[in-house]
């Protein structure tokens, strides 16, 4: 196969685009779906760039900012919830200004296949006032990242590029562009002659207009006109009530196109009359293009994942339909959802009943603790205690539902210690060693200085088990410097097996033996709970998966 005939996934396209953009530093924090993109850089690492995992998104961006101000292009890879942590330096960097191009690739998870929520990273474009690309396919992803670095240097601001697992799996041809060459700009210290309020005014008078012009003029926002002819296929539809157009964003635009190209038994397109405005640069929105499109159609359906980001900004015109009107679901969008919406465009609002099958299949497909997890005995013991147990967004969160019911609450990665400090009486924080390094150590430091009472159980398996088995730093010595009462318990050395006696839990068909709570560990936990102040137990256990 010739080089120009090869097809690449969206993530492979981003990998090649980063290389051709002369990126020298790649930082990232593991998490779905971004892990597989970083693995491309780690597998193929060479002398042209340095790619490294870190445990905290704020730190990852700050390191990239340091590279940028010294004239090195940098790339930051995080999942959508990681945008929450790095938003502090991101928002400040916009008016502070940077040097060489800096791009943040945010991996969103419509459908919540590997995350604690279904957050939409495009909103950070509005909050931070930065450009946000949302590429449709592999070729657009390649061109979007190339342009993102140029735009970053032209505006002296970071740029966000949003991706989803759909883009990762999609395949297509890409057209490579000439490689970018150094040198790249360094930080211009003359910005310091302005006060912060003046920097903000300068940004809106000089920089943001450049982003607005980019949105209006980029060829990555594409319009495909419909034929404006009714398809004579006997199909019952509300489309006959007037001209209908679709505005979409990102990977879901490809699903829209596939839907519009569907044919009936006569090999005729089902929706030849529908125009489609596909956006790959979504912040700022190209309001001029959108205004023209809205005026050209009596009704416009906005198709986007996960939140009504575009719809919220343009629905004041009154002829906009989508999630807010009930025509489309929140989160992930399928072709059937688009077809349903088009068939109900005659209705101002749609009250679609909730699909109860989602709840029925959800419980069956829920990820659970591995059968050979070394911490199963611990989770069973925790469920018997009459104390509050705060978990974390690591493996321990899987112990919250039945049948284990070990963890009571779990809000964010690294949150367990701080949450447990808020309990009315002394409780337990169950936190993985990765979550401790991510941000939990700050909660422990605050607990120590503020005089809270909490028992911290650090599950020390030395890997980030939920995100691919990345190595985790050992913080035991750091914790010992903060907390006087630190113990270590190696759960792998205690192998007590017997028949499962937990009330309400059914025996397995093969009647496998399961670990029971170890008397040594359970006694240690009870003793530490009875003590005043803070106690920490590092519970060592080898993850069987890695």
């Amino acid at each position: 196969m010739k080089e120009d005939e090869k097809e690449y996934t969206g993530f492979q396209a981003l990998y090649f685009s980063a290389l051709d953009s002369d990126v020298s530093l790649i930082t990232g924090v593991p998490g779905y779906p971004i892990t597989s993109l970083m693995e491309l850089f780690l597998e193929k690492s060479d002398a042209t760039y340095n790619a490294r995992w870190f445990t905290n998104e704020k730190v990852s961006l700050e390191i990239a900012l340091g590279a940028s101000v010294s004239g090195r292009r940098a790339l930051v890879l995080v999942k959508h919830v990681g945008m929450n942590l790095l938003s502090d330096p991101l928002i400040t960097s916009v008016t502070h200004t940077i040097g060489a191009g800096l791009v943040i690739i945010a991996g969103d998870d419509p459908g919540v296949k590997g995350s604690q929520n279904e957050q939409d990273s495009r909103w950070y474009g509005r909050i931070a006032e930065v450009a946000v690309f949302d590429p449709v396919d592999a070729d657009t992803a390649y061109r979007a990242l190339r342009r993102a670095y140029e735009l970053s240097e032209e505006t002296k601001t970071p740029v966000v590029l949003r991706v989803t697992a759909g883009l990762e799996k999609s395949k297509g041809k890409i057209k490579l562009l000439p490689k970018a060459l150094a040198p790249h700009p360094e930080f211009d210290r003359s910005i310091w002659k302005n006060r912060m309020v003046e920097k903000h005014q300068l940004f809106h008078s000089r920089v943001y207009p450049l982003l607005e012009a980019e949105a209006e003029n980029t060829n990555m926002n594409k319009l495909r006109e419909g034929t404006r002819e009714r398809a004579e296929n006997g199909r019952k539809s509300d489309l006959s009530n007037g001209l209908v157009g679709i505005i979409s964003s990102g990977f879901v635009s490809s699903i829209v196109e596939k839907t519009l190209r569907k044919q009936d038994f006569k090999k005729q397109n089902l929706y030849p009359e529908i125009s489609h405005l596909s956006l790959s640069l979504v912040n700022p929105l190209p309001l001029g293009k959108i205004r023209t499109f809205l005026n050209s159609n009596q009704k416009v359906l906005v198709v986007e994942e996960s939140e009504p980001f575009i719809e919220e900004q343009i629905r004041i015109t009154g002829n906009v339909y989508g999630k807010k009107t009930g025509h489309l679901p929140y989160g992930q969008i399928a072709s059937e959802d688009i077809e349903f919406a088009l068939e109900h465009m005659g209705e101002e609002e749609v009250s679609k009943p909730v699909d109860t099958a989602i709840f029925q299949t959800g419980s069956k497909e829920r990820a659970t603790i591995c059968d050979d997890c070394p911490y199963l005995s611990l989770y069973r013991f925790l469920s018997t205690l009459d104390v509050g147990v705060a978990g974390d967004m690591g493996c321990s969160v899987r112990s919250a539902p039945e049948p284990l019911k070990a963890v009571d609450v779990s809000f964010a990665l690294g949150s367990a210690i701080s949450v447990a400090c808020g309990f009315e009486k002394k409780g337990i924080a169950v936190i993985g060693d990765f979550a401790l390094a991510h941000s939990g150590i700050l909660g422990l430091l605050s607990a120590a200085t503020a005089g809270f009472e909490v028992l911290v159980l650090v599950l020390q398996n030395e890997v980030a088990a939920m995100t691919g088995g990345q190595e985790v730093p050992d913080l035991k010595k750091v914790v010992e410097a903060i907390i006087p009462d630190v113990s270590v318990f190696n759960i792998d050395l205690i192998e007590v097996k017997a028949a499962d006696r937990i009330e309400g839990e059914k025996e397995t068909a093969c009647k496998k033996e399961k670990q029971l709570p170890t008397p040594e560990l359970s006694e240690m936990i009870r003793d530490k709970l009875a003590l005043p102040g803070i106690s920490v137990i590092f519970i060592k256990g080898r993850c069987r998966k890695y």
Side-chain angles (χ1 to χ4, degrees), residues 430-445:
V430 180
I431 186 168
D433 49 0
F434 180 82
L436 181 68
H438 176 267
S439 54
I441 192 70
L442 298 177
L444 186 63
L445 182 62

Side-chain angles (χ1 to χ4, degrees), residues 79-80 83 106-108 119-125 132 160 162:
K79 67 179 297 172
H80 58 282
M83 294 295 293
D108 281 8
Q119 186 175 305
D120 194 325
S121 296
R122 294 176 299 170
W123 290 107
Y124 277 100
V132 178
V160 174
R162 180 213 197 197

Side-chain angles (χ1 to χ4, degrees), residues 268-492:
Q268 294 179 324
N269 284 2
L270 291 175
Y271 307 102
E273 71 283 9
I274 296 180
S275 296
H276 180 203
L277 177 59
S278 170
L279 303 180
S280 286
L281 178 54
V282 295
N283 196 72
L285 281 178
L287 294 179
K289 271 189 171 65
I290 291 175
R291 186 181 300 109
T292 300
F293 191 80
L294 291 172
N295 292 336
S296 302
N297 294 277
Q298 292 183 17
K299 298 182 177 182
V300 171
L301 177 68
V302 181
V303 183
E304 53 188 333
E305 299 175 328
S306 299
E307 298 293 316
F309 174 79
I310 300 171
E311 184 183 350
E312 286 270 12
Q313 296 181 66
I314 66 174
R315 67 191 301 258
I316 194 172
T317 59
N319 61 335
V320 174
Y321 303 80
K323 300 178 189 297
K324 301 294 290 186
T325 58
H327 288 77
L328 289 169
Y330 284 77
Q332 194 170 20
I333 299 292
S335 182
E336 309 86 74
D337 300 317
I338 300 170
E339 292 176 359
F340 174 88
L342 292 175
E343 294 298 324
H344 291 80
M345 288 299 286
E347 304 172 35
E348 290 300 309
E349 290 190 2
V350 178
S351 180
K352 188 178 180 181
V354 176
D355 185 2
T356 55
I358 294 176
F359 302 101
Q360 294 168 357
T361 59
S363 59
K364 296 177 183 177
E365 297 174 357
R366 182 194 298 273
T368 58
I369 297 291
C370 299
D371 291 336
D372 57 354
C373 176
Y375 299 111
L376 267 177
S377 61
L378 171 64
Y379 294 133
R380 292 198 179 95
F381 174 66
L382 292 177
S383 67
T384 67
L385 297 176
D386 186 24
V387 297
V389 180
D392 226 285
M393 283 301 167
C395 292
S396 66
V397 73
R398 295 179 175 178
S399 73
E402 294 183 347
L404 290 173
K405 296 191 293 184
V407 168
D408 295 314
V409 292
S410 185
F411 289 101
L413 188 64
S415 68
I417 299 173
S418 300
V419 171
C421 287
F423 291 164
E424 184 178 1
K425 57 184 180 180
K426 185 172 183 176
I428 296 176
V430 180
I431 186 168
D433 49 0
F434 180 82
L436 181 68
H438 176 267
S439 54
I441 192 70
L442 298 177
L444 186 63
L445 182 62
S446 297
T449 55
F452 285 107
E453 295 197 340
V454 62
L455 171 57
V456 180
L457 306 180
V458 180
L459 309 186
Q460 190 176 20
N461 57 15
E462 299 179 351
V463 295
M466 292 277 278
T467 57
Q470 295 82 10
E471 291 184 6
V472 175
D474 186 352
L475 297 183
K476 189 164 73 69
K477 289 184 178 180
V478 176
V479 173
E480 287 174 339
I482 302 172
I483 307 298
D485 183 9
V486 178
S487 306
V488 178
F489 187 92
N490 193 329
I491 206 166
D492 282 335

Side-chain angles (χ1 to χ4, degrees), residues 12-23:
Q12 287 173 327
L14 291 170
Y15 166 77
F16 290 123
S17 185
L19 295 186
D20 291 346
S21 298
D22 192 35
V23 173

